[in-house]
């Protein structure tokens, strides 16, 4: 039996605000781009994106959690699946954003990166080495190594990265946390003169909040 790799925040799951990291970097997602929320729990991040006119796709192994998410069916595709023990339910699909918060299952990471459409954004935040000194999760397989998200995202354009200790605040325990916002950059149109396609010649602008 595989132990859970998803950890909820300390505050009530139905009342918890979205991660500040998600709030900070959600503007990188293309307007009305489809957002995949992995191990979504009670859907606090899905609600954040839905309220900003993004269609959302959710996956979690808890039927109860999925049923608690109050988002209209036309804006939400909700899937109950054990993504650690069963085939990936979105094979062949790509999304404008993949959001992963407080969840780590290393064999799935290549699949998550492959689920990013060109221009798609990965927003990832979870516990890292050192958290075993302040609470759970404490097992090494559930904790990122120092700088690990930078390593796995080396094929992406990293816009922001943090790796450190966060004091208790807003009902959350002290924690060692690592987080990244990274973009799978679209390739320029090969062979087309920049003078005719000036947008291709300009570097992308990832606005910093």
């Amino acid at each position: 039996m595989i132990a859970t790799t998803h950890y909820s925040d300390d505050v009530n799951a139905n009342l918890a605000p979205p991660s500040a990291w998600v709030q900070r970097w959600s503007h990188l997602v293309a307007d009305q781009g489809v957002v995949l929320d992995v191990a979504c729990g009670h859907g606090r991040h899905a609600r954040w994106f839905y309220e900003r006119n993004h269609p959302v796709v959710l996956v979690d192994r808890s039927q109860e959690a999925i049923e608690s998410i109050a988002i209209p069916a036309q804006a939400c595709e909700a899937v109950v699946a054990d993504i650690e023990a069963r085939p990936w339910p979105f094979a062949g699909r790509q999304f404008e954003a993949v959001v992963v918060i407080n969840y780590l299952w290393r064999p799935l990471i290549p699949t998550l990166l492959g689920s990013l459409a060109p221009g798609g954004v990965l927003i990832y935040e979870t516990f890292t080495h050192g958290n075993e000194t302040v609470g759970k999760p404490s097992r090494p397989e559930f904790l990122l190594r120092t700088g690990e998200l930078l390593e796995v995202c080396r094929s992406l354009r990293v816009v922001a990265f943090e790796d450190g200790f966060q004091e208790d605040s807003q009902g959350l325990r002290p924690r060692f946390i690592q987080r990244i916002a990274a973009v799978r950059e679209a390739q320029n149109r090969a062979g087309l003169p920049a003078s005719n396609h000036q947008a291709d010649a300009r570097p992308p602008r990832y606005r910093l909040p």
Side-chain angles (χ1 to χ4, degrees):
M1 181 70 179
I2 298 174
T4 181
T5 52
H6 181 266
Y7 287 83
S8 298
D9 288 325
D10 306 80
V11 291
N12 186 291
N14 287 308
L15 300 177
S19 158
W21 190 250
V22 169
Q23 295 184 54
R24 183 179 179 187
W25 296 109
S26 58
H27 70 275
L28 295 177
V29 184
D31 290 346
Q32 300 185 338
V34 181
V35 176
L36 173 63
D37 189 355
V38 178
C40 65
H42 291 271
R44 61 195 175 114
H45 300 106
R47 287 194 300 272
W48 171 265
F49 284 101
Y50 163 69
E51 290 168 355
R52 284 149 184 82
N53 300 314
H54 291 280
V56 291
V57 179
L58 320 174
V59 61
D60 199 279
R61 68 181 184 181
S62 169
Q63 180 80 39
E64 178 184 2
I66 289 289
E67 291 177 350
S68 74
I69 300 171
I71 297 176
Q74 66 270 23
C76 174
E77 177 187 347
V79 176
V80 178
D82 185 345
I83 54 178
E84 298 176 9
R86 297 287 185 268
W88 179 240
F90 310 111
R93 295 176 61 182
Q94 292 186 319
F95 305 89
E96 281 68 43
V98 174
V99 176
V100 190
I101 304 297
N102 295 347
Y103 177 79
L104 178 61
W105 179 242
R106 286 182 173 90
L108 190 64
I109 289 178
T111 298
L112 297 178
L113 298 182
S115 297
L116 288 172
V121 183
L122 176 69
I123 302 176
Y124 204 133
E125 175 185 61
T126 196
F127 302 92
T128 193
H129 175 74
N131 202 71
E132 72 280 2
T133 66
V134 295
K136 293 184 177 181
S138 57
R139 291 167 55 177
E141 62 266 38
F142 299 157
L143 301 176
L144 290 165
R145 299 182 296 273
T146 300
E148 185 173 357
L149 284 180
L150 281 177
E151 296 173 14
V152 301
C153 292
R154 59 184 177 272
S155 64
L156 306 180
R157 165 71 178 269
V158 175
V159 179
F161 174 76
E162 293 182 353
D163 188 351
F165 179 69
Q166 189 170 47
E167 298 285 357
D168 57 315
S169 65
Q170 299 180 339
L172 303 179
R173 300 188 311 268
R175 57 188 55 200
F176 286 80
I177 206 81
Q178 192 173 141
R179 43 206 177 200
I180 201 165
V183 180
R184 180 183 178 186
E185 292 191 305
Q187 297 296 316
N188 289 339
R189 297 188 182 96
L192 297 181
S195 58
N196 293 334
H197 299 275
Q198 294 181 4
D200 291 344
R202 294 195 299 265
R205 297 185 178 185
Y206 302 116
R207 182 171 53 85
L208 304 179

